[in-house]
Amino acid sequence: MSPVLPDVSETRTDPGGVPPGLGLERADIAFKVNGAAVSVNVPPLRRLSQVLRDELRLTGTKVGCDAGDCGACTVLVDGDPVCACLMPAASAAGASVTTVEGLANGRLSALQSSFLAHGAAQCGICTPALLVAATALLEKKPSPTETEVQDALGGILCRCTGYRKIIAAVMEGGRSEPSTDSAAPHPPAGTFSPLGDGEKGLAASLAPPSPRSSRGEGKGEGQRQRQLLDLALNRRMPLSGQAVGSSPIRLDGGPKVTGDEKFGGDSFPADALAVLVVRSPHYHASFVFGDLDDWAKRHPGVAGVFTAADIPGKNCFGVIGPFADQPALADGFARLRGEAVALVAGEREAILDLDLSDFPVRWTELPHFLQSGEAQAEGAVLIHDNRPANLLTKGFVERGDPEAALANAAVTVSGAIDTSYVEHAYIEQEAGHAYMDGDTLVVVACTQAPYMDRDDTAKVLGLAVDKVRIVPTATGGGFGSKLDVSLQPLIGLVALKTGRPAALAYTRNESMMSTTKRHPAEMKATIGADGDGHVTGMVFAGDFNTGPYASWGPTVASRVPVHASGPYATPNYRAQGRAIHTHGPISGAFRGFGVPQATIMQETLYDELAGKLGMDRLDLRLKNCLRNGSETVTGQRLESGVGIAECLEALRPHWVRAEADADVFNSVHADIKRGVGLASCWYGCGNTSLPNPSTIRVGIAADGDVILHQGAVDIGQGSNTVITQICADALGLPLENFRLKSADTAISPDAGKTSASRQTFVTGKAAEKAGRALRETILRYANVSENASLQLDGSAILILEGDAARRIDLASLDVDADGFVFRAEETYDPPTLPLDAKGQGKPYAVYGYGAQIAELEVDLKLGTVKLIKITAAHDVGKAINPLLVEGQIEGGIAQGIGMALMEEYIPGRTENLHDYLIPTIGDVPPIETILVEVPDPEGPFGAKGLGEHVLIPTAPAILNAIRHATGVLVTKIPATPTRIRAAIREKEARP
């Protein structure tokens, strides 16, 4: 009988990481936390992070790895930063511990205020640790240098921000104190409630928790806390004036800097059963269980063991219905290392001490393959019987006669590039809890797609859709992977079967082993041009390793051929993308859906093409870029809003300067060479040729509050703020009047998934329509023209038109079931058209555009790369919130740096944040952002999506800069020092 994965049994013992039976005797341990004396009775070797979170409920201290790799659990012990996950509770005896909750002392500190003002918190999962470590730095060095900030925060990983705004916030936070000017204007206010109850003031969420509540207590408390912010914040927006185009502090920012934000693992019910997942140790295996009932009886505290046989519904889920193929619990066969095969539920303390090494499961390992080529080989076992040659699906776009165009081209270039698995590496692992509310299953968990979660969970558990409620928590990063169902049906099954709440938080190992990755790609392409440098034809082919289950493989296969041309006019074109099944990790959505991989292929060839033509690399791109009136490779005519030329022109002075700097540097250095690279991007916002609606509801309550049902999950990108800004200006009332009821399938309309750069565009457009509709309803009621203005005065609306004024007493009017006196609900679905057999049609209503320059130095003897600067010009149509736009650009660039230079997930070897490398605060160079605004008439106030676009050009720009410096192109990504040196040696060996 084989045990389950050793990784599972090793990490699922005592939280202190000790073997069962060691160090589990309890002891009284006394110390101070945030100035207050506490005493806990716990095993001495239990992790301090666990004691703070579980015993003292100080959940501002986060847990991202339990290995000291991510730094999310950083606290101060006697003034020094330590990783609380590595410190035994006994070591804290007699010490003074400070957590993020202890930084405020009744008001936001200057540092916390600086984080808000600079937009230094996005998803917020790493923010408490950064604040704590920075506080220790500023105590010693009130005016630190950038290098000192990087050194102090270097052990804390952030996956969202790109670190640049964090550095700025810390440097300024040490030099400033909150203003004491009581006449300072109020920042925007309203409410934010991640649990969707909509009853807590936004101001309450923006200030430190009161002694009565960790989440604020309504408007009275909110007013007091709002006044604190008035004194603390430097970046403010006037009460009057337009919200769109301004940068108010993010509406959900306060809890992120006080430690009050509740992520998936932060609010487990005290009586919840803890759940463990038994996972396959093999890439491909059959398995049978022994006597599960007997095993459970022999382990006190175990409440039940659940397998596929216990699933009451259809044991199959998937984000794209026709391709759904993944079981919630594998049934007899595992196709994936780390695939869930059974659940063990029990009392928390029993589960903490549970040794799974004797779990009764017997494995029979079967042949497996991890590469697309192996999966396509003759005689390869089929992973799914109904998918011949292990082909999931393919996408195809063809226009004109590419073979003839290439045959007649003055110049052609060809190449092949392979990319690797890339891990999302969000700092928050998957976590949540489930419970029964009468006959309704409620799942409270991190997610990017609550309505999709609801539908799949209901299907798996055999429940009616209206008997499943998904309540999203704050989500500590997603980037695409949290679009897929993970633990939702698992904890739902336990809650359904036992009648008790069930809670589960993946370990870092579980998360990295079992969740989706960026698709590895094997690509080849040829591009031809005439003698003047006009591209005449292109062919592209890419195989994308999608793993054993479909996930978003069909989307990648269909999106890549549409985008593989880049934002360039290509009259003759053929592109094919294939999603291939293997036994490797499941590949899914990751910021770009395959476009970043294809762009590496296309943009590196464009540099080679420029070299053969003897043209400047920027000039070649400007000569060929799409413009208003151009037709894309799908035959779509772009009438207006095409901003790629403006992006490239905005970069020209930086390009000229950077090339000159490189020439000067290289003239005096022999072993270190400077390179400059350029790359462009375009990206269609939303689903490809599919319905993509969002619905927004907004109303005015009898007490004068504007209540916005905003169901778009904010995973750090700022949709809570941006969509409210759009609605506010459409309605004609200031942000301070708004209260949010956030994503919750029971109370908020479906605003669609947070993916594909769709929320600002699609949900923002729905918010604009809803705001305008509500405004029109009010104006009609008052019998005034559209030129009238609105004001709220307590529970009354003032309608002003010229010298005339009318007052509507809201409290005297009837309210509907939602408490609204006036209301509007609007849906927006982008106008697209299906693609025909040759991929011709209108796949997207709006595209975003961008271009980036990378400046770097390469040590020719070591192969190491030092980034000097990234300059990014992105056409966003209209920057609804410029500060948040900058934050998205910087965060996307950081992920692009990782993809280009260091990130390579290797199954079985890099399933932790020690061996899997992501950029740290010292790896991201200065970033200069240029916001280009070429409005698109389809977008709200002209806005376009942004989230995906900003990552796409970074890696190819870096690779082109490496080639500029060294003369070699690395064709296996990431371009590690070993691969760069190998390419240089190969070049040197050529005759």
Side-chain angles (χ1 to χ4, degrees):
M1 182 180 300
S2 301
V4 294
L5 273 176
D7 304 271
V8 175
S9 62
E10 287 171 10
T11 58
R12 293 298 197 178
T13 57
D14 176 76
V18 296
L22 282 181
L24 297 182
E25 304 82 3
R26 292 178 173 268
D28 292 324
I29 301 172
F31 53 101
K32 285 187 177 181
V33 177
N34 300 328
V38 299
S39 180
V40 295
N41 183 260
V42 296
L45 295 183
R46 184 156 292 179
R47 301 177 193 270
L48 177 61
S49 56
Q50 211 95 21
V51 171
L52 292 171
R53 290 174 55 81
D54 295 342
E55 308 300 328
L56 302 178
R57 305 306 296 167
L58 294 171
T59 56
T61 300
K62 307 304 179 185
V63 175
C65 65
D66 271 340
D69 295 325
C70 73
C73 63
T74 299
V75 298
L76 302 183
V77 177
D78 293 332
D80 293 324
V82 301
C83 282
C85 75
L86 297 182
M87 187 174 193
S91 296
S96 178
V97 177
T98 302
T99 71
V100 67
E101 291 92 344
L103 299 183
N105 294 322
R107 61 182 295 167
L108 294 180
S109 69
L111 180 61
Q112 289 169 313
S113 301
S114 185
F115 263 61
L116 289 177
H118 284 84
Q122 289 190 19
C123 83
I125 190 72
C126 65
T127 303
L130 291 163
L131 286 166
V132 167
T135 297
L137 168 67
L138 296 177
E139 286 290 324
K140 299 174 182 177
K141 293 183 176 293
S143 297
T145 66
E146 180 170 326
T147 298
E148 288 170 335
V149 174
Q150 290 174 326
D151 288 344
L153 305 185
I156 302 170
L157 297 178
C158 174
R159 193 57 159 164
C160 296
T161 66
Y163 301 105
R164 300 308 305 178
K165 295 196 181 305
I166 293 170
I167 294 171
V170 175
M171 293 178 71
E172 184 171 302
R175 293 192 293 266
S176 62
E177 290 296 331
S179 168
T180 57
D181 179 7
S182 61
H186 291 285
T191 67
F192 170 70
S193 174
L195 295 186
D197 57 23
E199 296 303 321
K200 301 157 181 91
L202 168 67
S205 77
L206 288 176
S210 70
R212 292 173 291 162
S213 168
S214 64
R215 299 187 61 81
E217 292 193 353
K219 292 184 179 177
E221 180 69 9
Q223 181 63 33
R224 182 189 72 79
Q225 294 170 332
R226 183 181 297 139
Q227 291 169 354
L228 292 175
L229 279 180
D230 290 343
L231 301 178
L233 294 174
N234 296 316
R235 183 183 294 273
R236 303 180 179 94
M237 191 190 76
L239 289 178
S240 59
Q242 290 187 335
V244 170
S246 68
S247 294
I249 59 169
R250 56 189 309 149
L251 302 190
D252 53 359
K256 298 178 188 295
V257 300
T258 62
D260 199 34
E261 184 104 82
K262 299 302 179 186
F263 295 89
D266 289 342
S267 56
F268 289 172
D271 62 340
L273 292 170
V275 179
L276 298 183
V277 184
V278 179
R279 300 183 181 278
S280 170
H282 305 293
Y283 296 104
H284 187 204
S286 63
F287 62 92
V288 295
F289 294 114
D291 192 333
L292 298 175
D293 291 337
D294 177 70
W295 181 86
K297 291 176 183 177
R298 289 188 285 105
H299 291 79
V302 171
V305 178
F306 306 97
T307 69
D310 297 297
I311 290 177
K314 185 176 182 181
N315 188 17
C316 178
F317 67 85
V319 290
I320 303 173
F323 293 93
D325 57 5
Q326 186 171 354
L329 292 171
D331 190 1
F333 286 89
R335 300 179 174 94
L336 166 73
R337 184 176 186 272
E339 184 162 14
V341 301
L343 307 175
V344 178
E347 306 302 332
R348 175 179 171 271
E349 288 296 328
I351 293 298
L352 288 175
D353 190 28
L354 186 62
D355 181 5
L356 287 177
S357 62
D358 65 342
F359 188 82
V361 58
R362 183 169 63 253
W363 301 97
T364 301
E365 190 170 3
L366 300 172
H368 70 270
F369 42 81
L370 302 180
Q371 305 297 324
S372 297
E374 298 174 292
Q376 295 277 290
E378 185 176 353
V381 63
L382 294 183
I383 294 178
H384 298 278
D385 291 339
N386 62 338
R387 292 173 184 163
N390 288 309
L391 176 66
L392 170 63
T393 189
K394 60 185 178 181
F396 182 75
V397 173
E398 183 179 73
R399 191 164 193 245
D401 189 344
E403 276 77 16
L406 293 174
N408 296 320
V411 174
T412 62
V413 291
S414 298
I417 284 181
D418 294 347
T419 66
S420 303
Y421 287 110
V422 182
E423 160 67 21
H424 295 77
Y426 29 71
I427 306 304
E428 180 205 28
Q429 309 98 306
E430 293 72 10
H433 68 274
Y435 63 93
M436 298 302 299
D437 181 8
D439 62 351
T440 298
L441 174 68
V442 182
V443 179
V444 182
C446 55
T447 181
Q448 294 179 238
Y451 278 83
M452 292 168 59
D453 289 355
R454 179 198 64 178
D455 294 350
D456 264 342
T457 300
K459 180 176 73 171
V460 170
L461 299 182
L463 298 172
V465 168
D466 63 356
K467 295 302 180 184
V468 175
R469 178 186 180 188
I470 303 294
V471 182
T473 63
T475 298
F479 318 115
S481 187
K482 289 176 183 173
L483 290 168
D484 293 70
V485 164
S486 57
L487 52 71
Q488 290 86 350
L490 306 183
I491 55 178
L493 176 64
V494 174
L496 191 66
K497 290 291 186 179
T498 65
R500 288 182 57 182
L504 170 59
Y506 283 7
T507 64
R508 176 58 58 183
N509 173 257
E510 282 183 289
S511 177
M512 295 184 72
M513 176 168 43
S514 66
T515 61
T516 61
K517 309 288 175 278
R518 184 181 294 284
H519 284 74
E522 299 173 6
M523 302 170 292
K524 56 185 179 182
T526 300
I527 301 176
D530 63 22
D532 294 327
H534 291 102
V535 170
T536 57
M538 177 179 179
V539 294
F540 170 94
D543 283 352
F544 292 80
N545 183 343
T546 206
Y549 299 115
S551 184
W552 292 94
T555 301
V556 170
S558 64
R559 187 176 278 266
V560 163
V562 173
H563 289 84
S565 64
Y568 307 106
T570 311
N572 300 283
Y573 177 81
R574 180 185 298 114
Q576 178 176 270
R578 303 196 308 166
I580 308 296
H581 281 304
T582 70
H583 293 106
I586 305 167
S587 297
F590 192 167
R591 210 168 193 168
F593 289 97
V595 178
Q597 297 95 303
T599 303
I600 291 173
M601 182 76 264
Q602 168 262 314
E603 284 289 332
T604 54
L605 282 182
Y606 260 61
D607 260 29
E608 188 172 341
L609 187 63
K612 280 197 173 184
L613 287 165
M615 288 184 65
D616 178 82
R617 293 175 283 166
L618 177 61
D619 288 341
L620 174 69
R621 288 166 169 85
L622 273 166
K623 182 182 285 286
N624 288 283
C625 70
L626 297 166
R627 300 175 186 268
N628 290 343
S630 295
E631 290 190 356
T632 72
V633 292
T634 68
Q636 179 179 355
R637 184 176 178 84
L638 303 175
E639 299 293 348
S640 61
V642 183
I644 183 59
E646 286 82 352
C647 292
L648 290 166
E649 289 289 4
L651 289 180
R652 184 179 290 281
H654 303 273
W655 179 250
V656 173
R657 189 269 310 153
E659 287 205 307
D661 287 352
D663 288 343
V664 172
F665 183 94
N666 292 335
S667 68
V668 296
H669 291 82
D671 293 334
I672 298 176
K673 293 296 182 181
R674 181 167 291 190
V676 183
L678 172 72
S680 302
C681 74
W682 69 324
Y683 193 80
C685 303
N687 293 347
T688 307
S689 294
L690 292 171
N692 193 25
S694 279
T695 301
I696 285 287
R697 180 189 305 139
V698 62
I700 298 183
D703 62 1
D705 283 331
V706 183
I707 300 174
L708 178 63
H709 287 261
Q710 201 292 90
V713 175
D714 193 323
I715 59 173
Q717 83 279 24
S719 60
N720 282 324
T721 304
V722 166
I723 291 168
T724 310
Q725 288 180 259
I726 291 169
C727 191
D729 276 7
L731 175 57
L733 287 172
L735 281 175
E736 68 164 3
N737 295 135
F738 278 75
R739 290 197 291 128
L740 299 186
K741 287 196 173 183
S742 210
D744 179 334
T745 61
I747 64 171
S748 296
D750 186 2
K753 61 190 184 299
T754 295
S755 73
S757 302
R758 63 176 299 280
Q759 291 296 15
T760 294
F761 164 41
V762 182
T763 302
K765 188 70 171 182
E768 181 187 30
K769 290 179 64 179
R772 295 192 191 284
L774 180 58
R775 174 181 174 82
E776 182 178 356
T777 297
I778 296 168
L779 296 181
R780 284 185 178 180
Y781 182 88
N783 196 25
V784 297
S785 77
E786 63 181 16
N787 297 319
S789 63
L790 306 179
Q791 292 181 14
L792 281 167
D793 181 14
S795 61
I797 300 180
L798 303 181
I799 298 98
L800 309 176
E801 186 171 23
D803 295 332
R806 181 173 180 187
R807 182 183 181 90
I808 300 175
D809 182 7
L810 296 169
S812 67
L813 302 180
D814 293 336
V815 298
D816 65 14
D818 291 316
F820 293 145
V821 176
F822 299 104
R823 67 179 291 146
E825 184 169 313
E826 293 290 332
T827 298
Y828 175 72
D829 192 1
T832 62
L833 295 173
L835 299 180
D836 65 18
K838 289 196 171 184
Q840 300 298 292
K842 182 183 178 181
Y844 311 103
V846 168
Y847 296 84
Y849 305 90
Q852 295 176 9
I853 295 171
E855 301 172 59
L856 52 78
E857 294 169 2
V858 181
D859 187 314
L860 301 182
K861 293 190 176 299
L862 300 177
T864 54
V865 174
K866 177 184 177 182
L867 292 171
I868 305 300
K869 183 183 180 184
I870 304 286
T871 308
H874 284 270
D875 169 27
V876 299
K878 174 64 178 179
I880 304 297
N881 186 311
L883 184 68
L884 294 182
V885 168
E886 291 173 6
Q888 281 292 286
I889 291 172
E890 292 169 3
I893 286 171
Q895 290 188 346
I897 289 169
M899 182 180 181
L901 297 177
M902 63 187 72
E903 295 192 42
E904 183 172 12
Y905 179 87
I906 301 172
R909 289 177 52 191
T910 58
E911 292 165 354
N912 56 70
L913 292 176
H914 179 79
D915 298 310
Y916 184 83
L917 303 180
I918 68 172
T920 69
I921 198 169
D923 294 316
V924 180
I927 297 171
E928 182 172 352
T929 296
I930 303 169
L931 299 186
V932 177
E933 295 181 303
V934 179
D936 193 296
E938 193 64 35
F941 295 97
K944 304 166 183 174
L946 178 70
E948 254 86 354
H949 315 63
V950 294
L951 174 140
I952 295 169
T954 308
I958 289 171
L959 294 170
N960 282 336
I962 292 172
R963 176 161 57 182
H964 182 231
T966 64
V968 299
L969 176 67
V970 178
T971 58
K972 171 65 175 178
I973 312 304
T976 60
T978 299
R979 288 173 180 149
I980 293 172
R981 274 298 303 147
I984 292 173
R985 285 196 300 270
E986 182 180 344
K987 175 190 173 186
E988 292 171 343
R990 292 176 197 146

